[in-house]
Amino acid sequence: MIRVGIGYDLHPLVESRRLILGGVHIEYAKGLMGHSDADALTHAIIDALLGASALGAIGEHFPETDPQYQNANSIKLLEKTVELVHKAGFKVVNVDANIIADEPRLGPYVEEICATLAEPLQIAPDCVSVKPRTNERFGPEGKGEAISTQAIVLIESR
Ligand SMILES: [Zn+2]
């Protein structure tokens, strides 16, 4: 059996935060605001994996009110999510994701992001696709106020 899932996330960009996307530190004057490390790309992928497995939403598994997730490394949360997917009888086949932000330029980081995400997903790096794109100066992503992300995943029976 195969199943698909869709995920979305958005975090505001603020000063005095490190920018982490897909577990990779991006050199930039601003970072994403959030309870954990605010890794919007990894969060969208977690959301999609939970969706494909019909296991509920990310907030139910890793609640923002729980102090153990303060500044949490989202890659660790992705590892836990993949464990849940495996327990539900599935394995990950591939992931495709969009990062929507006019700034910073993310192209040079894509290869490292795919390699970093492939490990907790337990798939080959060429089964992870990450596509940065701009929002043509429209909306919060176009004005440097936020970064949003979208992910779609395919899982199949183990
Ligand atoms: Zn998030």
Short mmCIF file of all heavy atoms in Angstrom, two decimals, residues 9-11 36 38-40 43 58, ligand 1:
data_model
loop_
_atom_site.label_atom_id
_atom_site.label_comp_id
_atom_site.label_asym_id
_atom_site.label_seq_id
_atom_site.Cartn_x
_atom_site.Cartn_y
_atom_site.Cartn_z
N ASP A 9 4.28 24.90 6.73
CA ASP A 9 4.68 25.62 7.94
C ASP A 9 5.05 27.05 7.57
O ASP A 9 5.34 27.34 6.40
CB ASP A 9 5.86 24.92 8.63
CG ASP A 9 6.00 25.35 10.09
OD1 ASP A 9 5.03 25.87 10.68
OD2 ASP A 9 7.10 25.15 10.65
N LEU A 10 5.03 27.92 8.56
CA LEU A 10 5.47 29.31 8.38
C LEU A 10 5.97 29.80 9.72
O LEU A 10 5.34 29.55 10.76
CB LEU A 10 4.31 30.19 7.89
CG LEU A 10 4.63 31.68 7.69
CD1 LEU A 10 3.85 32.25 6.52
CD2 LEU A 10 4.37 32.52 8.94
N HIS A 11 7.13 30.46 9.72
CA HIS A 11 7.64 31.11 10.92
C HIS A 11 8.07 32.53 10.57
O HIS A 11 8.63 32.75 9.49
CB HIS A 11 8.85 30.37 11.50
CG HIS A 11 8.50 29.09 12.19
ND1 HIS A 11 8.37 29.00 13.56
CD2 HIS A 11 8.26 27.85 11.71
CE1 HIS A 11 8.07 27.75 13.88
NE2 HIS A 11 7.98 27.03 12.78
N SER A 36 10.78 25.78 19.25
CA SER A 36 11.91 24.87 19.01
C SER A 36 12.98 25.67 18.26
O SER A 36 13.03 26.89 18.36
CB SER A 36 11.45 23.67 18.18
OG SER A 36 11.03 24.11 16.90
N ALA A 38 12.75 26.23 15.33
CA ALA A 38 11.91 26.88 14.32
C ALA A 38 12.32 26.52 12.89
O ALA A 38 12.22 27.33 11.98
CB ALA A 38 11.90 28.41 14.51
N ASP A 39 12.77 25.29 12.71
CA ASP A 39 13.19 24.78 11.40
C ASP A 39 11.94 24.46 10.57
O ASP A 39 11.40 23.36 10.60
CB ASP A 39 14.05 23.52 11.62
CG ASP A 39 14.61 22.93 10.34
OD1 ASP A 39 14.05 23.21 9.26
OD2 ASP A 39 15.57 22.16 10.43
N ALA A 40 11.47 25.48 9.84
CA ALA A 40 10.19 25.38 9.14
C ALA A 40 10.18 24.28 8.08
O ALA A 40 9.14 23.66 7.84
CB ALA A 40 9.86 26.73 8.48
N HIS A 43 9.80 20.96 9.90
CA HIS A 43 8.43 20.89 10.45
C HIS A 43 7.41 20.51 9.37
O HIS A 43 6.50 19.71 9.63
CB HIS A 43 8.03 22.23 11.09
CG HIS A 43 8.81 22.55 12.32
ND1 HIS A 43 8.66 23.73 13.01
CD2 HIS A 43 9.76 21.84 12.99
CE1 HIS A 43 9.48 23.74 14.05
NE2 HIS A 43 10.17 22.61 14.05
N ILE A 58 1.47 17.84 13.99
CA ILE A 58 2.76 17.97 14.66
C ILE A 58 2.59 18.47 16.11
O ILE A 58 3.28 18.00 17.00
CB ILE A 58 3.70 18.89 13.82
CG1 ILE A 58 5.11 18.97 14.43
CG2 ILE A 58 3.14 20.27 13.60
CD1 ILE A 58 6.14 19.59 13.48
ZN ZN B 1 7.27 25.14 12.66
#
